[in-house]
């Protein structure tokens, strides 16, 4: 009788471990899929207003850099002439 109960307990523990492993695997898979969805949303779905405002800011910064480079070149040319 003792051997049968030990075998049953071992089988129960093995079944519980297999079930826990399966549930954990499902959670990990679900988390991976949600991360993928979040990444695709972040990559593909940007509103036009956000994109246009970001591009406008970028263009403003580039114009300022161009102006600074132009003034630097003009001052360099003026020094070379003197």
């Amino acid at each position: 009788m003792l051997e049968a109960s030990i075998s049953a307990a071992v089988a129960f523990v093995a079944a519980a471990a297999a079930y826990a492993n399966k549930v954990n695997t499902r959670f990990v898979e679900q988390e991976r899929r949600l991360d993928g969805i979040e990444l695709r949303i972040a990559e593909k779905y940007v509103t036009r207003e956000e994109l246009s405002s970001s591009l406008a800011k970028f263009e403003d910064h580039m114009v300022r850099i161009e102006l600074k480079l132009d003034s630097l070149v003009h001052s360099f040319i003026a020094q070379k002439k003197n």
Side-chain angles (χ1 to χ4, degrees):
M1 183 70 168
L2 181 63
E3 294 170 351
S5 60
I6 291 174
S7 296
V10 168
F12 178 75
V13 169
Y19 179 74
N21 187 26
K22 187 172 185 176
V23 169
N24 186 38
T25 302
R26 284 186 178 179
F27 280 131
V28 168
E29 178 66 22
Q30 188 69 19
E31 183 179 357
R32 187 189 62 77
R33 290 174 64 198
L34 284 174
D35 288 342
I37 290 171
E38 289 174 355
L39 182 61
R40 277 187 276 146
I41 288 172
E43 287 176 346
K44 295 183 180 180
Y45 298 103
V46 176
T47 63
R48 291 180 187 215
E49 294 81 14
E50 290 174 344
L51 182 60
S52 64
S53 69
S54 294
L55 287 177
K57 288 178 186 177
F58 183 76
E59 186 176 345
D60 291 341
H61 287 295
M62 293 302 290
V63 167
R64 288 195 335 224
I65 290 171
E66 287 175 356
L67 292 174
K68 288 179 182 178
L69 285 173
D70 286 342
S71 67
L72 184 66
V73 168
H74 287 302
S75 66
F76 181 76
I77 290 173
Q79 285 179 357
K80 283 286 191 175
K81 287 183 179 181
N82 293 333

